[in-house]
Amino acid sequence: MKAKLTFLGTGTSQGVPIIGCDCPVCRSSDPRDKRLRASALVEYGGLTILVDAGPDFRYQLLRAGVSHLDAILLTHNHKDHTGGLDDTRSFNLIEGHPLNIFCEQYVLETLQREYAYVFAEPKYQGVPEWHMHVIDASKPFEVRSNTQDERLQWQHGVGYLHLPPLNPLPDKVSVIPVQGWHHKEKKQSVLGYRFGNIAYLTDINLMDDCEIEKLRGVDYVTLGCVKITPHHAHPSLEECLRFFEKVGARESYITHISHLIPPHADFAAMLPPHVHPAYDGLILE
């Protein structure tokens, strides 16, 4: 099954341009050098799935005209990947369903601390309504249409009433988690995801060969690279290119790019023919 992926954001944790910076990249007039925090929208098997919801979540979805989400898959717990989750309450109100969020157990524990009001009982009226799903990184998992979830009906002065679903759609897809590590000492797990012929990975600095095997046969693969030289938590450009060669995808894309990477056109000219810098709004299908 083929997927369609739209890069909603391709920047690193501070985005590009960085506040207060006047370097050539931050001053670039090329729209491909204007980068929101890393996130991707995937259309797969009739479902609409978001990977990561950072601080630019609201603007990214408005800019892309997204009016429906079935699920959000989180790669890890850093704020540039989770900081926009409060804005999911718009989907609760407009679509009338909870939002399914998939993540590892340690990420859930972070959300329970950082969004404690979402998990508190009794609920404050209007807080985001989430159905949390913990991922076992060793196994594929199923994402279903959110029409199969309970319905939310807003009642003034009470909050949401939770009602049974009506005529749920049978749509569901299988997603393969691909585990890597943010640091070479394996300090923090980060998940990438394979959707059929497309694999999306960001903040992965180390990956075991058994996980790379999960990527065999993809048409497109992505990986984050914040600068050309080594970084304590992200691959250098050389390491990124070695990873792409191991995977052997038809085309490979670099995302999670900082202002330490040359401007888009110059960076593209440095890369092998089958490797490309991603940019906000780029679509793979």
Side-chain angles (χ1 to χ4, degrees):
M1 187 188 304
K2 290 191 174 182
K4 174 182 177 181
L5 184 146
T6 303
F7 290 95
L8 299 181
T10 56
T12 189
S13 60
Q14 296 183 79
V16 181
I18 288 180
I19 295 171
C21 183
D22 65 352
C23 75
V25 175
C26 288
R27 289 187 287 106
S28 170
S29 60
D30 187 337
R32 295 171 297 182
D33 289 321
K34 310 300 182 188
R35 303 183 183 279
L36 300 178
R37 267 63 74 94
S39 178
L41 188 75
V42 179
E43 296 166 68
Y44 184 47
L47 303 187
T48 303
I49 300 168
L50 182 72
V51 182
D52 286 338
D56 300 316
F57 171 88
R58 175 181 173 275
Y59 178 61
Q60 287 173 336
L61 270 63
L62 287 171
R63 182 174 68 173
V66 179
S67 58
H68 169 74
L69 281 180
D70 288 293
I72 296 176
L73 314 185
L74 299 176
T75 58
H76 61 301
N77 66 350
H78 286 171
K79 265 290 198 267
D80 55 320
H81 298 264
T82 66
L85 284 171
D86 182 78
D87 283 321
T88 56
R89 28 196 191 100
S90 300
F91 287 100
N92 300 149
L93 183 63
I94 301 299
E95 294 208 89
H97 292 285
L99 195 57
N100 291 301
I101 298 180
F102 293 77
C103 62
E104 290 192 273
Q105 178 65 35
Y106 87 91
V107 179
L108 171 58
E109 292 167 4
T110 300
L111 298 184
Q112 289 169 332
R113 292 192 300 270
E114 296 184 349
Y115 292 95
Y117 60 93
V118 175
F119 299 92
E121 293 291 348
K123 285 185 178 292
Y124 182 83
Q125 294 176 29
V127 300
E129 294 278 349
W130 301 338
H131 279 173
M132 301 301 304
H133 306 266
V134 174
I135 297 171
D136 179 342
S138 68
K139 301 175 182 177
F141 60 94
E142 195 172 81
V143 179
R144 295 175 177 268
S145 166
N146 76 338
T147 63
Q148 296 181 331
D149 282 324
E150 61 190 352
R151 290 178 295 133
L152 301 175
Q153 184 178 89
W154 180 258
Q155 183 170 324
H156 183 70
V158 175
Y160 284 113
L161 302 179
H162 293 248
L163 306 175
L166 289 175
N167 302 318
L169 295 176
D171 296 335
K172 61 182 180 180
V173 295
S174 180
V175 177
I176 299 173
V178 185
Q179 186 177 41
W181 303 92
H182 217 321
H183 305 270
K184 288 187 167 58
E185 300 82 9
K186 294 190 175 182
K187 290 180 180 178
Q188 181 180 13
S189 173
V190 179
L191 295 185
Y193 299 101
R194 178 171 180 171
F195 308 90
N197 64 320
I198 297 178
Y200 179 83
L201 300 86
T202 58
D203 298 34
I204 290 178
N205 200 15
L206 177 69
M207 180 175 287
D208 295 333
D209 287 344
C210 61
E211 296 296 308
I212 292 176
E213 286 300 315
K214 296 179 181 179
L215 302 173
R216 297 296 181 210
V218 296
D219 292 323
Y220 304 109
V221 67
T222 78
L223 189 64
C225 181
V226 302
K227 64 177 185 174
I228 292 173
T229 55
H231 186 282
H232 72 281
H234 296 270
S236 66
L237 177 58
E238 181 181 353
E239 290 169 324
C240 206
L241 295 178
R242 284 205 303 267
F243 171 80
F244 289 148
E245 286 303 311
K246 283 185 177 181
V247 173
R250 180 160 59 87
E251 302 289 338
S252 301
Y253 289 83
I254 295 173
T255 187
H256 211 283
I257 293 170
S258 80
H259 71 157
L260 301 176
I261 294 284
H264 179 93
D266 296 339
F267 188 37
M270 296 170 53
L271 300 174
H274 64 285
V275 179
H276 318 277
Y279 54 87
D280 291 19
L282 175 66
I283 296 173
L284 307 180
E285 58 182 330

